Amino acid sequence: MSIKTGVFVCDCGTNIAGTVNVPEVAEYARKLDSVVFVNEGKWICSVDYLSKIKQFITEHKLDRVVVACCTPRTHEPTFKSALKEAGLNPHLLEFVSIREQCSWVHKADIAVATQKAKDLVRMGVSKSILLEPAEGIRIPVGKECLIIGGGIAGMTASLAVAEQGFKVILVEKSANLGGILGKLDMVAPANVPAEKIIAAKMEQIERHPNIRCCTDTVVEQIRGYIGNYNVKLTQKGAAEDIKVSTIIVATGMREIEPSGLFGYGKYPGIITQLQLEERLKNKQLGPVKTVAMINCVNSKNDERGCCSVGCLISVKNAMAIKELDKDVRVYIINRDLSLLCAEPDYLKSAVAQYDIKLLRYSEDKPPDVFKSEQGGKVVKTYDILLGRDIEIAADLIVLTAAFQGDETAGRMKELLKVSANRDNFFQEAHIKLRPLDFSTDGIYLCGCARSPKRLKDTVEEALGAALRAGIPMKRGYIESEGIVADINLEICSECGLCHKNCPFGAIELAGKQPFVIKAICKGCGICAANCPKEAINIIHFTNEQILAQVEAALSERPQEQIIAFCCHWCAMGAVDIAGVSRLQYPANIRIIRVMCAGRISESFVNKAFQLGAAGVLVAGCEFPTCHYITGNYKCKEKMERLKKKLAGKNIEDKRLRTAWLSAADGPKFAKTVREMVKDLGL
Amino acid sequence: MNKPDSKNSILVIGAGIAGIEASLNLAAYGIKVYLVDDTPSIGGIMARLDKTFPTNDCSICIEAPKMYEVQKNANIEVLTNCEVRRVDGAAGNFRVRLVQKGRFVDSAKCKGCGKCVEVCPVTVPDEMDAKIGGTRKLIYIPFPQSVPNSYAIDNRCRYGKSKNEGACVGGCIIDCIQCRECPIAKCVKACKEEGADAVMLWQKDNTIDIEVKSIIVASGLEVFEPPTGFYGYGHYKNVITHLQFERLMNAGGPTQGDIVRPSDKSHPRKIAWIQCVGREKSCGIPYCSKVCCMVAAKQNIITKEHDESVETFVFYNNMKAYGKGFHEFYRRAMELGAKYIKGKPSDVIENSRTGSLAVRYEDIETGEVNEIEVDLLVLSAGLVPNSRNKKLAKTLKVAMDETGFFKENGSFGGDPLETCVKGIYLCGGAIGPADISESVTQAIAASLKAVLIK
């Protein structure tokens, strides 16, 4: 069956028609392979023209549509819905940007702009012939959630998931719920007993019909993916297999024992803040007259950042000591006190009311703990405000120790195939915009498993994670948009690289054979570009389609052309900003859009050079931003390797260039093109 | 559109990153969302930042896709230039009256061609970038990635308010509804000639009544404006706030990312930051704004990345590098050569010939009194409540705290984000200083509370 392509070329008022000879472009399009219908419109995105497009699709039995107009970033959804409404699969649309990439940026010469517009349309049509219909791919998601960790984060999340009407299995490795909060005396700055908070939650959890609470229980194995997790639990030796759809990780944190630091373990009477909490809870401080707290133990150094909560804990516990015995002298030996929002006021009133002494040290002059000749412990510290050493004879020294992820975090990381930092705090999908997700769909995180934090922040994260897990369970399925990876198992050598490279855990191995969980696949193409056998294709951005664009671009005057492979997000963003800002740059550039720089295979670049392209530009998101987590990094490595190979083929270094752009980098994009054209002598 | 079920609808007030995240999560949950913002574009402060700490992600690069998602989402109705006028009823059934002010350009018809801007005769200082030389026309697009991506007309264009500045329809006193035929309204004419016919100077305010089961307040915050004369701010051209510096760094800002000083557009060789501006008794911010330390670290890193030979100094008191990756980020600034000085400058004196600034300070660590001359001085001003909070609190009948942020009900931290009115929840800068990550977390958490209302 022969393909019938319709091409719609837009004037955009005078925005395109003012610089590009649109009738000439339309006439040219008529002669292209597969094109059976061409129409020019003043505004092809207007409501009345869209209904015309639908009419033309039906009338001329079009099965491919190419629009030559503005930019897919803003108008692709508009035209896709038009196709859909005309009964055509929306993936059979190809978008050619002759405004942002042509009329707005090559204003000086109508002939040049018109020629480039023709080339862009030719490239679009050549890709459109190879387009395939794609369907959204769904997998069902049930209504059961596994919550790992029974601290305040896990308890709060459990209640919030259960309240939405979903079933919860709450797993806690120890005998009691409560986690690290259960080890605390009071919670600052509101001074509420921690026990009271936990008791209230515990009562709600026990009463809730949707929550099954398993203490003394260990997660042994996790297999599967969103909607389909098989989990093995053991409770005091008894194994049980359960099926859940989503997982929330709330495994919390633990104090790092400060062995060998400030006399800890060497002299008696040197404890951590958590050990002090135990004494405060029992109202048993012991025979103590002077307490010296040393903050930032094991933190704010080369290995580790700020522990986030130590300063607040030290102030709170200093007050608690004074409450127990107002005659005890308390010193807080700190580096900068990291107290936030209204907490400086809390400190101020603590100091005023309880006469707590603050001493400030710097990293290069840490306090020293030693035994005096009389046998007592002495803390010697250089106070930067006084500018001299101070010696404190302390009978209790409290070290504000740093934290790290729970001892189970390392194993959990393996079970869930997720990442964590050096201290085994789990890595969120994006630190700013996806703080409660892992990059793998269906697994969420909250609380101190992510990083140390205050109770309020922990509770907020737990509530948020409960909603994130609730979204697919409420909807009952997850769906991908159809731009997904497709593995040709006949070519596949079962090396497993795709499984390793996928940032989303969307490629699983059955034995050694890879398979794509299509509903999770984001279509970045990192797997495809790095497949040694080129056995992977990305629907809508197939090797054949991209190579067809390359060929079409270079079918005329290849020696004048620069082929640019640009990622959809930031690189195309920069291209569009250059357009909107009317930045003028040479017309030698022919842009081919891919979703991610990670998609760009060596073979694309090689093909361009084979066909005689003057140069190739590879453009992706500036570091560290990548909308697919690792795509730009992978691309950069690949292009560096490729440059070396090309040198062997006598292809000069300057002919392949990379640019890492932000979506606001219109000027940088224009400058890159100008420089490249100059370097290549075009 | 079918009349939405009020039992399945939620109102989100404020379309910064918190409001955007709340809306996207609610929409994904199957809720009909009304997202209102009283400016012409969604995006909030984040859309105007250059980078985000501690990863130096480009701010608009990660926010713009979310903004497009909002626009595309069939469950979200975006109402810009829109205010909440009245709220009646209770959780489960709030009756809300919204008033959408005229944009004077039909977003559905506007093609973003910019012909109207070319012909507009009046240039005015930009709200955000005025102090660093940013200007715009009376018809304008707030920023290139604006959603909706169409132009808007400043109210100052109307009723003769800008007649003396040369506005073309300076004589209009009432909306005569005949602008389309008006021989002197240049933007109307230009747009008609382009065939879009999107400019509607006669547009009236539109009253919209909706019913929702719950409300999320994500109205954001503002950067403190230092009083005139404070460290020379307002008197000396080369004393600016950190938000203004951020706009200087930004490729989307008025200098296209070229860091130049306002007085003579030269590249500063020495730049200093003064932290905790606003905490002074005379300024009256009683709390720590918590993000400014990281903002300064970020701006030092970016400055050094632009040009490593630029010398930078940060005057600070307590380093608040409290979050994940923050301390490492601060150390990175120091590794790149930023000099951190513990102490607060006492005085700033301008060299009237060069425009440079002599900063006098006492270094707390050494006890020495010193002076350095810098070419540009950045005031790390604190974050303050949104100036519209008071009006909004009254409309919603919710409480504010003594500093002017919305007050969370209950103090122990077990039930955060709740107000004294059941069914109205808070997130992000509405409650107090917050970074993007915290705002996003709170927005999702507040959404959870909002969906649970029956």
Side-chain angles (χ1 to χ4, degrees):
Chain A
M1 199 179 76
S2 68
I3 284 166
K4 294 191 176 76
T5 304
V7 180
F8 300 91
V9 191
C10 187
D11 294 341
C12 198
T14 58
N15 281 289
I16 295 171
T19 307
V20 169
N21 185 337
V22 175
E24 200 181 312
V25 175
E27 204 45 50
Y28 175 79
R30 250 177 257 284
K31 294 175 202 144
L32 294 170
D33 217 16
S34 87
V35 174
V36 297
F37 181 78
V38 179
N39 196 261
E40 179 184 347
K42 197 167 173 63
W43 303 101
I44 68 168
C45 64
S46 64
V47 177
D48 34 325
Y49 197 88
L50 287 172
S51 56
K52 269 199 204 168
I53 292 184
K54 284 183 251 172
Q55 207 182 311
F56 291 138
I57 291 174
T58 324
E59 236 170 69
H60 299 271
K61 297 193 173 60
L62 303 178
D63 52 13
R64 298 290 186 281
V65 172
V66 176
V67 290
C69 46
C70 47
T71 162
R73 291 168 60 82
T74 56
H75 279 76
E76 196 166 54
T78 311
F79 293 109
K80 274 192 167 173
S81 355
L83 262 69
K84 212 169 170 182
E85 283 160 31
L88 204 57
N89 187 292
H91 284 87
L92 298 173
L93 171 79
E94 183 57 20
F95 209 111
V96 178
S97 184
I98 59 168
R99 189 178 77 173
E100 274 77 352
Q101 291 178 31
C102 190
S103 68
W104 274 353
V105 291
H106 310 310
K107 286 168 99 80
D109 191 332
I110 290 182
V112 168
T114 303
Q115 183 56 53
K116 177 166 171 181
K118 287 183 196 170
D119 292 353
L120 294 178
V121 170
R122 183 173 71 242
M123 290 163 66
V125 169
S126 70
K127 177 173 177 181
S128 82
I129 295 170
L130 300 169
L131 288 176
E132 295 157 318
E135 298 299 333
I137 297 148
R138 285 185 181 187
I139 45 178
V141 178
K143 301 196 183 306
E144 314 76 31
C145 179
L146 169 68
I147 297 180
I148 308 172
I152 191 65
M155 293 166 87
T156 305
S158 295
L159 284 165
V161 171
E163 277 299 296
Q164 297 174 64
F166 308 122
K167 294 281 179 200
V168 172
I169 297 172
L170 171 59
V171 171
E172 164 58 39
K173 68 175 194 283
S174 69
N176 299 304
L177 298 179
I180 203 165
L181 182 63
K183 295 180 181 164
L184 302 190
D185 171 36
M186 307 287 273
V187 177
N191 281 344
V192 181
E195 271 175 6
K196 202 175 139 188
I197 297 169
I198 293 167
K201 290 274 182 227
M202 214 130 78
E203 201 209 321
Q204 287 175 294
I205 285 176
E206 275 163 20
R207 270 204 328 245
H208 209 292
N210 285 349
I211 304 177
R212 183 182 150 204
C213 179
C214 308
T215 49
D216 282 318
T217 303
V218 178
V219 178
E220 298 287 352
Q221 198 179 68
I222 301 173
R223 289 241 168 96
Y225 45 87
I226 184 169
N228 191 15
Y229 284 111
N230 295 298
V231 181
K232 180 175 273 178
L233 306 173
T234 52
Q235 190 172 30
K236 292 182 179 166
E240 184 190 358
D241 291 322
I242 58 164
K243 273 184 176 293
V244 295
S245 280
T246 56
I247 299 173
I248 295 176
V249 178
T251 46
M253 65 178 183
R254 59 179 164 155
E255 207 178 46
I256 302 173
E257 220 181 350
S259 303
L261 293 172
F262 303 107
Y264 184 89
K266 188 170 166 196
Y267 308 125
I270 302 181
I271 60 174
T272 66
Q273 291 286 2
L274 267 190
Q275 291 159 1
L276 173 63
E277 297 272 1
E278 181 75 33
R279 293 192 189 190
L280 293 171
K281 253 175 134 170
N282 301 329
K283 313 252 177 268
Q284 298 265 323
L285 199 56
V288 169
K289 285 286 152 219
T290 303
V291 180
M293 295 183 178
I294 301 174
N295 283 8
C296 303
V297 173
N298 255 331
S299 43
K300 291 216 271 193
N301 54 23
D302 291 338
E303 273 85 56
R304 195 171 285 111
C306 171
C307 80
S308 305
V309 292
C311 291
L312 187 60
I313 291 173
S314 63
V315 176
K316 171 192 74 118
N317 286 349
M319 282 165 73
I321 290 170
K322 285 289 203 176
E323 280 283 321
L324 277 181
D325 182 352
K326 68 176 170 34
D327 295 328
V328 175
R329 281 181 299 273
V330 184
Y331 297 85
I332 303 177
I333 304 168
N334 64 86
R335 283 163 71 189
D336 295 350
L337 277 173
S338 196
L339 299 169
L340 310 170
C341 297
E343 290 165 2
D345 272 351
Y346 174 77
L347 170 72
K348 224 182 264 173
S349 63
V351 169
Q353 193 184 342
Y354 295 100
D355 190 29
I356 295 159
K357 307 282 186 214
L358 303 175
L359 298 170
R360 211 148 143 180
Y361 74 97
S362 59
E363 189 181 5
D364 50 339
K365 286 183 187 151
D368 186 24
V369 175
F370 55 89
K371 280 242 163 153
S372 70
E373 281 165 17
Q374 289 77 28
K377 293 186 293 295
V378 175
V379 183
K380 184 174 152 190
T381 184
Y382 179 84
D383 183 72
I384 59 171
L385 296 178
L386 293 172
R388 64 177 168 85
D389 283 329
I390 289 180
E391 290 194 5
I392 302 158
D395 26 40
L396 182 66
I397 297 172
V398 183
L399 305 182
T400 309
F403 297 93
Q404 58 186 195
D406 186 70
E407 70 243 21
T408 60
R411 208 167 51 85
M412 204 55 66
K413 190 174 77 174
E414 304 299 319
L415 289 180
L416 292 165
K417 292 177 225 136
V418 295
S419 333
N421 67 13
R422 258 200 309 206
D423 276 327
N424 269 339
F425 288 114
F426 291 107
Q427 168 111 43
E428 54 290 280
H430 189 274
I431 195 160
K432 286 297 189 198
L433 296 187
R434 290 181 67 197
L436 309 176
D437 298 356
F438 282 101
S439 54
T440 311
D441 287 344
I443 321 175
Y444 310 90
L445 83 164
C446 58
C448 296
R450 215 186 122 215
S451 62
K453 52 182 58 73
R454 287 155 175 69
L455 173 63
K456 177 176 152 58
D457 299 331
T458 298
V459 170
E460 287 168 2
E461 290 194 359
L463 295 172
L467 186 75
R468 294 297 296 157
I471 287 170
M473 295 196 288
K474 173 84 186 324
R475 186 187 286 167
Y477 62 89
I478 62 158
E479 189 172 40
S480 84
E481 282 174 25
I483 300 177
V484 292
D486 187 35
I487 304 176
N488 183 344
L489 290 173
E490 282 174 24
I491 310 176
C492 171
S493 65
E494 301 186 347
C495 68
L497 204 58
C498 50
H499 166 70
K500 243 184 258 166
N501 278 334
C502 179
F504 305 102
I507 301 182
E508 286 286 327
L509 298 178
K512 283 176 125 186
Q513 205 172 65
F515 67 97
V516 181
I517 305 158
K518 297 204 168 170
I520 309 179
C521 174
K522 310 284 183 241
C524 61
I526 294 170
C527 56
N530 291 285
C531 176
K533 292 281 176 192
E534 297 195 356
I536 308 179
N537 239 329
I538 304 297
I539 308 291
H540 211 68
F541 292 91
T542 64
N543 294 333
E544 296 74 19
Q545 290 163 2
I546 293 169
L547 293 175
Q549 282 175 291
V550 175
E551 276 175 36
L554 297 172
S555 63
E556 292 172 28
R557 309 169 318 282
Q559 71 288 352
E560 292 171 18
Q561 319 288 5
I562 297 168
I563 300 292
F565 298 101
C566 292
C567 87
H568 170 78
W569 300 99
C570 294
M572 289 304 284
V575 169
D576 285 352
I577 292 290
V580 171
S581 315
R582 316 295 202 270
L583 303 176
Q584 302 300 300
Y585 55 81
N588 308 63
I589 196 113
R590 300 286 176 273
I591 293 170
I592 295 173
R593 178 170 72 118
V594 288
M595 289 312 287
C596 176
R599 171 71 186 98
I600 303 163
S601 302
E602 286 187 14
S603 60
F604 302 167
V605 179
N606 287 333
K607 181 80 175 180
F609 284 128
Q610 249 173 43
L611 295 175
V616 173
L617 174 65
V618 167
C621 295
E622 71 171 10
F623 301 100
T625 314
C626 171
H627 294 73
Y628 304 97
I629 305 169
T630 57
N632 51 358
Y633 290 93
K634 293 267 182 205
C635 178
K636 184 165 184 269
E637 285 167 25
K638 186 191 305 296
M639 291 307 142
E640 278 162 11
R641 281 198 306 270
L642 181 57
K643 267 177 175 275
K644 283 182 195 147
K645 287 188 203 165
L646 290 175
K649 292 185 200 161
N650 287 328
I651 291 176
E652 281 177 289
D653 191 60
K654 65 184 182 188
R655 290 178 66 192
L656 172 60
R657 186 160 168 162
T658 52
W660 311 108
L661 305 166
S662 86
D665 269 340
K668 190 172 166 189
F669 176 77
K671 188 168 159 248
T672 305
V673 177
R674 280 195 294 269
E675 283 174 3
M676 227 179 144
V677 166
K678 195 171 160 228
D679 286 350
L680 296 171
L682 301 176
Chain B
M1 198 184 306
N2 299 330
K3 191 173 158 48
D5 173 13
S6 70
K7 290 284 166 207
N8 198 34
S9 304
I10 293 175
L11 168 65
V12 178
I13 303 170
I17 190 60
I20 286 173
E21 279 292 341
S23 300
L24 287 172
N25 278 280
L26 291 169
Y29 206 78
I31 303 274
K32 156 85 191 179
V33 183
Y34 299 95
L35 174 60
V36 306
D37 196 283
D38 58 3
T39 70
S41 173
I42 66 171
I45 291 186
M46 188 180 168
R48 307 303 191 93
L49 302 181
D50 182 36
K51 297 288 192 297
T52 63
F53 62 79
T55 51
N56 281 344
D57 270 298
C58 153
S59 194
I60 194 67
C61 304
I62 56 177
E63 195 190 20
K66 298 268 177 187
M67 292 161 63
Y68 296 135
E69 256 184 79
V70 165
Q71 189 179 32
K72 263 191 332 203
N73 196 306
N75 283 350
I76 304 174
E77 190 165 335
V78 178
L79 296 158
T80 49
N81 276 349
C82 188
E83 283 176 14
V84 180
R85 191 57 61 84
R86 207 174 65 214
V87 176
D88 297 314
N93 187 22
F94 288 108
R95 292 181 302 280
V96 184
R97 169 155 291 182
L98 305 170
V99 175
Q100 191 168 30
K101 301 272 174 70
R103 182 186 193 92
F104 312 112
V105 175
D106 185 341
S107 296
K109 287 186 181 169
C110 172
K111 314 291 175 196
C113 72
K115 286 277 152 52
C116 53
V117 175
E118 280 173 30
V119 298
C120 180
V122 184
T123 299
V124 294
D126 183 85
E127 284 82 353
M128 181 162 277
D129 299 334
K131 286 219 165 65
I132 50 170
T135 57
R136 61 166 172 81
K137 294 288 187 67
L138 280 177
I139 189 163
Y140 68 109
I141 199 151
F143 52 96
Q145 298 84 356
S146 292
V147 169
N149 200 245
S150 81
Y151 288 82
I153 294 179
D154 195 316
N155 207 32
R156 279 179 286 182
C157 174
R158 291 151 44 85
Y159 309 118
K161 282 180 210 159
S162 293
K163 193 178 167 192
N164 295 338
E165 286 83 59
C168 51
V169 286
C172 297
I173 297 168
I174 50 160
D175 276 329
C176 64
I177 324 288
Q178 287 170 17
C179 298
R180 201 187 288 261
E181 308 306 327
C182 178
I184 49 169
K186 293 185 174 171
C187 53
V188 177
K189 201 165 153 234
C191 192
K192 260 177 85 177
E193 280 171 9
E194 271 303 305
D197 197 15
V199 182
M200 320 181 275
L201 273 168
W202 58 89
Q203 197 180 33
K204 286 210 175 83
D205 290 358
N206 186 20
T207 303
I208 304 162
D209 289 322
I210 58 169
E211 290 182 14
V212 295
K213 68 172 183 175
S214 46
I215 297 172
I216 293 174
V217 182
S219 52
L221 39 67
E222 291 171 8
V223 174
F224 175 65
E225 180 71 9
T228 304
F230 198 73
Y231 288 122
Y233 183 76
H235 290 323
Y236 306 153
K237 276 189 169 170
N238 297 327
V239 181
I240 61 176
T241 66
H242 62 87
L243 186 59
Q244 290 153 9
F245 189 81
E246 188 83 16
R247 297 293 297 156
L248 277 182
M249 300 195 308
N250 193 331
T255 60
Q256 296 193 338
D258 201 10
I259 300 175
V260 292
R261 53 184 208 163
S263 70
D264 55 7
K265 308 285 174 237
S266 67
H267 292 106
R269 306 299 310 150
K270 280 186 180 183
I271 310 176
W273 279 256
I274 301 178
Q275 298 303 106
C276 302
V277 168
R279 290 297 306 276
E280 301 79 5
K281 278 223 165 62
S282 61
C283 294
I285 300 180
Y287 50 82
C288 161
S289 297
K290 82 179 175 184
V291 301
C292 327
C293 283
M294 285 305 103
V295 171
K298 170 184 74 180
Q299 296 185 341
N300 272 265
I301 292 170
I302 303 294
T303 300
K304 293 280 188 183
E305 280 176 1
H306 276 234
D307 180 352
E308 60 179 354
S309 70
V310 174
E311 279 187 83
T312 66
F313 305 87
V314 182
F315 295 100
Y316 77 110
N317 179 26
N318 265 304
M319 176 52 57
K320 309 288 171 75
Y322 64 97
K324 197 174 188 178
F326 288 12
H327 188 75
E328 294 82 342
F329 192 63
Y330 152 61
R331 282 177 96 92
R332 166 115 185 95
M334 288 204 289
E335 278 162 18
L336 288 172
K339 294 185 188 70
Y340 277 77
I341 300 164
K342 209 175 238 200
K344 190 131 194 185
S346 53
D347 210 355
V348 173
I349 299 157
E350 187 191 46
N351 179 331
S352 56
R353 192 175 48 80
T354 61
S356 294
L357 305 145
V359 181
R360 286 187 189 158
Y361 65 95
E362 185 194 342
D363 185 328
I364 291 177
E365 296 200 31
T366 61
E368 284 168 22
V369 177
N370 254 323
E371 183 179 291
I372 52 166
E373 194 177 271
V374 296
D375 304 320
L376 183 64
L377 181 63
V378 183
L379 305 183
S380 291
L383 302 178
V384 293
N386 194 310
S387 49
R388 287 100 88 198
N389 280 3
K390 204 168 173 180
K391 199 174 155 197
L392 185 56
K394 207 175 151 197
T395 309
L396 296 170
K397 303 176 193 79
V398 300
M400 297 201 308
D401 66 18
E402 59 280 6
T403 57
F405 287 107
F406 289 97
K407 190 174 178 176
E408 287 177 278
N409 199 27
S411 54
F412 89 85
D415 296 300
L417 314 178
E418 297 183 2
T419 65
C420 54
V421 178
K422 190 184 171 199
I424 302 183
Y425 304 102
L426 307 168
C427 60
I431 310 169
D435 72 6
I436 293 165
S437 171
E438 290 160 345
S439 298
V440 167
T441 300
Q442 291 180 346
I444 304 172
S447 302
L448 182 270
K449 292 195 178 246
V451 302
L452 290 181
I453 291 289
K454 294 280 182 288

